[in-house]
Amino acid sequence: MKKISLFLLLTSFTLFALAQDKGMQFEHNTTWEKVLAKAKAENKYIFVDFLTTWCGPCKEMSKNVFPLEEVGAFFNKNFINVKIQLDT
């Protein structure tokens, strides 16, 4: 029973991780200069999501919009996506 439970848990985490790859891909651990250089090299615009930890609409977008495959397909093709948290 423990093996089945572990298998189901790992499978659900794997499926969740794969689903996340279909949405918008945001740059992490970078500088603004690197983002500008990447946008120029790839001939893309820059999409910036300014957010705070207490912002309800920000949480809604992160949970229900940014992970969508069709949103990711458009934004990843045309933009370098960056999240900037304003309250830390």
Side-chain angles (χ1 to χ4, degrees), residues 24-39:
M24 288 178 68
Q25 301 298 311
F26 288 91
E27 296 295 313
H28 299 285
N29 301 320
T30 189
T31 65
W32 186 249
E33 290 77 21
K34 289 180 183 178
V35 170
L36 288 173
K38 185 173 181 178

Side-chain angles (χ1 to χ4, degrees), residues 4-87:
I4 292 173
S5 297
L6 180 62
F7 173 75
L8 292 175
L9 181 66
L10 291 175
T11 302
S12 64
F13 281 131
T14 302
L15 292 175
F16 178 76
L18 290 174
Q20 295 297 325
D21 289 339
K22 295 181 180 183
M24 288 178 68
Q25 301 298 311
F26 288 91
E27 296 295 313
H28 299 285
N29 301 320
T30 189
T31 65
W32 186 249
E33 290 77 21
K34 289 180 183 178
V35 170
L36 288 173
K38 185 173 181 178
K40 186 174 182 176
E42 295 181 19
N43 196 29
K44 293 182 178 182
Y45 294 105
I46 300 172
F47 173 82
V48 181
D49 176 34
F50 292 100
L51 66 132
T52 61
T53 56
W54 49 264
C55 176
C58 300
K59 292 178 184 179
E60 184 72 21
M61 294 289 288
S62 291
K63 181 179 175 184
N64 296 315
V65 177
F66 296 153
L68 295 175
E69 184 174 358
E70 57 270 23
V71 173
F74 175 78
F75 278 89
N76 296 337
K77 178 182 176 186
N78 299 296
F79 295 88
I80 302 300
N81 305 305
V82 180
K83 284 190 178 195
I84 298 178
Q85 189 167 338
L86 298 175
D87 60 352

